[in-house]
Amino acid sequence: MDMQTNFLDRLFDAGLLIETGVDGLYGRSGEFEDVIAAFERLIDRFGGQDGAEAMRFPPGMNRAYFETSGYMKSFPQLAGTVHSFCGNDHDHMSLLKCMEVGEDWTKEQEATDIVLTPAACYPLYPTVARRGALPMTGKLFDLQSYCFRHEPSKDPARQQLFRMREYVCMGTEQHVTDFRQSWMDRGVEMMKLLGLTVEIDVANDPFFGRAGKMMANNQRDQNLKFELLIPITSVAKPTACMSFNYHQDAFGTKWGLNLEDGAVAHTACVGFGLERIALALFHTHGLSTSDWQEDIRKILWG
Ligand code: 5GP
Ligand code: ZN
């Protein structure tokens, strides 16, 4: 059995993750959630004084905004759309018949106006654009959302529905690159406090197809994405538990985000993979939080 399946089974046995019959879709126990809640409070201790505006969006977003975002150009393989039954009595009868005989009942389902949110920051850009120009001093936002990515896997660190906490910064190039650097430093400090082994490396998103290869190379060459890696199911291939993304003025241009002087805003976002961080803690310190070292418990629960 490989390390990933082994760790997944141990998490099921300990009751920390709850099987649903679908790879990458799990319930979480109270103890698991308690670690996430405590870690989020630690994030607040580090970032709470920065003056971020908090917003919480549901895990589904406006399909029109999703289309404008260009997500289907870059990651069609990861997207999840919400479809619904929109037929009449007759259609309903044939749907039930299909289900009865074990045929595909989903092909008549129609797309709704909702798409599953792929990253916590996606609903933010059009929301901020509607407000008008951004102050020259920039703006900071604090987000958290369940996100969906269609990548079924036995690796407990690769889930299809997982939570991302994000800080998003909009402003001048200097402002948003300083923001990103400060969270790279804070991220390392936070993980070290928690006794986790960390490294930061340049990264790229899994852009789709042949054209995607070029986009990935470009992202790497320009240092647009960094990840904070922690060993979970492999020491040789540690898992990305945070990402630090500089979008230059790409989102500013796409969404019409301008500063008060008319310049296009630059943006950057910093994401915490909350399930991954909890898994890194359970992997490193053991599957029962009551057995964790006192200094680690103190940082999380005071
Ligand atoms: P990104 O947008 O950089 O791909 O993802 C942001 C963060 O979300 C990642 O650094 C990671 O911590 C988390 N994340 C990304 N993909 C997955 C996944 O498949 N499962 C889980 N649990 N977390 C993920
Ligand atoms: Zn983001």
Side-chain angles (χ1 to χ4, degrees):
M1 195 190 295
D2 64 40
M3 288 286 284
Q4 297 175 347
T5 312
N6 184 355
F7 188 42
L8 183 61
D9 283 340
R10 286 174 50 228
L11 291 158
F12 287 153
D13 289 344
L16 289 164
L17 292 187
I18 303 157
E19 242 178 313
T20 68
V22 178
D23 289 342
L25 182 73
Y26 310 118
R28 303 87 163 60
S29 72
E31 188 175 11
F32 193 95
E33 289 302 291
D34 200 22
V35 170
I36 289 193
F39 185 79
E40 286 212 79
R41 288 194 297 272
L42 183 65
I43 299 175
D44 295 336
R45 292 213 286 279
F46 274 76
Q49 302 305 310
D50 297 348
E53 177 181 342
M55 284 191 211
R56 296 291 180 265
F57 290 95
M61 66 178 286
N62 183 333
R63 175 156 62 97
Y65 290 156
F66 174 84
E67 288 163 5
T68 305
S69 78
Y71 195 81
M72 291 306 281
K73 281 193 198 132
S74 299
F75 313 109
Q77 78 283 18
L78 301 179
T81 50
V82 177
H83 283 62
S84 247
F85 173 73
C86 301
N88 55 25
D89 268 351
H90 178 261
D91 302 322
H92 184 212
M93 292 302 284
S94 50
L95 178 148
L96 293 179
K97 182 117 272 129
C98 272
M99 285 184 115
E100 216 174 273
V101 298
E103 279 174 15
D104 181 11
W105 61 273
T106 62
K107 50 187 190 296
E108 301 294 331
Q109 296 286 98
E110 287 182 29
T112 66
D113 288 337
I114 297 174
V115 170
L116 295 175
T117 304
C121 61
Y122 270 62
L124 179 70
Y125 306 104
T127 303
V128 175
R130 278 202 309 271
R131 291 177 171 181
L134 290 154
M136 292 309 293
T137 47
K139 271 289 279 176
L140 185 64
F141 299 92
D142 164 347
L143 308 173
Q144 200 250 51
S145 178
Y146 259 102
C147 300
F148 175 84
R149 294 183 187 175
H150 183 236
E151 7 181 36
S153 163
K154 295 268 185 218
D155 179 355
R158 182 163 301 294
Q159 302 189 6
Q160 299 200 59
L161 272 160
F162 58 93
R163 273 159 294 179
M164 209 185 278
R165 175 82 180 264
E166 277 199 53
Y167 283 105
V168 182
C169 184
M170 304 178 183
T172 60
E173 172 171 1
Q174 188 67 47
H175 184 121
V176 307
T177 51
D178 285 353
F179 152 85
R180 183 172 76 150
Q181 184 58 51
S182 77
W183 273 107
M184 288 208 255
D185 299 340
R186 284 170 169 181
V188 170
E189 194 187 338
M190 291 168 79
M191 302 309 173
K192 283 194 171 155
L193 271 178
L194 293 172
L196 300 171
T197 308
V198 282
E199 62 184 278
I200 293 227
D201 203 358
V202 65
N204 62 264
D205 286 313
F207 295 102
F208 184 78
R210 209 179 308 158
K213 274 225 155 49
M214 271 167 53
M215 289 163 84
N217 289 339
N218 178 50
Q219 194 180 34
R220 265 182 180 269
D221 293 346
Q222 296 197 61
N223 286 342
L224 297 181
K225 186 180 188 80
F226 287 93
E227 287 176 334
L228 180 151
L229 308 166
I230 306 177
I232 301 182
T233 49
S234 161
V235 175
K237 277 189 136 193
T239 301
C241 291
M242 285 185 74
S243 71
F244 311 88
N245 306 284
Y246 174 38
H247 316 123
Q248 299 168 305
D249 62 359
F251 287 5
T253 303
K254 183 177 305 246
W255 293 110
L257 296 164
N258 296 310
L259 299 174
E260 270 166 346
D261 69 355
V264 177
H266 284 234
T267 62
C269 69
V270 168
F272 294 84
L274 296 175
E275 282 75 12
R276 286 186 175 178
I277 291 165
L279 290 171
L281 285 162
F282 283 113
H283 177 259
T284 306
H285 300 305
L287 297 188
S288 173
T289 51
S290 55
D291 297 337
W292 291 3
Q293 274 166 238
E294 205 40 52
D295 55 336
I296 306 290
R297 290 184 51 82
K298 214 173 165 69
I299 287 156
L300 288 170
W301 288 286

